[in-house]
Amino acid sequence: MERTVKILNESGLHARPASVFVKTASQFKSDIKIEFNGNILNAKSIMNLMSLGLKKDDEIKLIIDGPDAEEAMEALVKLIESKFNEA
């Protein structure tokens, strides 16, 4: 399953939100990848996320495949839309 989302928080995906994203993604068994500018990277790696240099208003594609893909997609989209404010 795939979904395109926009980074909304002012500072983009710097260390703290990247850490929160990886922590959330790692709770799921599914394979979770992010596509940005033609690169597809493992979204469970903080180094991969940081290497993308995502800024506010950048659009990324979440690509999730596995037994809990629907739940993972819902949780990660909610996290991005909340500007990485953990519940």
Side-chain angles (χ1 to χ4, degrees):
M1 93 183 335
E2 297 181 1
R3 183 151 171 205
T4 301
V5 290
K6 187 184 282 194
I7 303 298
L8 300 175
N9 57 314
E10 291 298 325
S11 51
L13 201 65
H14 60 86
R16 192 195 68 78
S19 164
V20 173
F21 188 96
V22 169
K23 180 177 149 194
T24 303
S26 295
Q27 295 172 3
F28 298 97
K29 291 183 177 122
S30 294
D31 186 33
I32 301 174
K33 296 190 177 345
I34 286 183
E35 181 179 348
F36 181 69
N37 281 348
N39 296 314
I40 300 176
L41 301 173
N42 177 356
K44 293 183 180 180
S45 162
I46 194 161
M47 295 310 290
N48 283 348
L49 288 184
M50 298 293 293
S51 74
L52 292 173
L54 295 169
K55 297 174 182 58
K56 184 179 189 313
D57 294 328
D58 282 343
E59 287 193 348
I60 60 170
K61 185 187 292 182
L62 294 174
I63 305 167
I64 306 177
D65 183 39
D68 52 4
E70 219 168 283
E71 295 90 346
M73 182 68 77
E74 187 179 322
L76 293 171
V77 168
K78 192 174 178 181
L79 183 66
I80 292 167
E81 289 176 346
S82 76
K83 301 181 183 178
F84 299 94
N85 292 316
E86 289 179 280

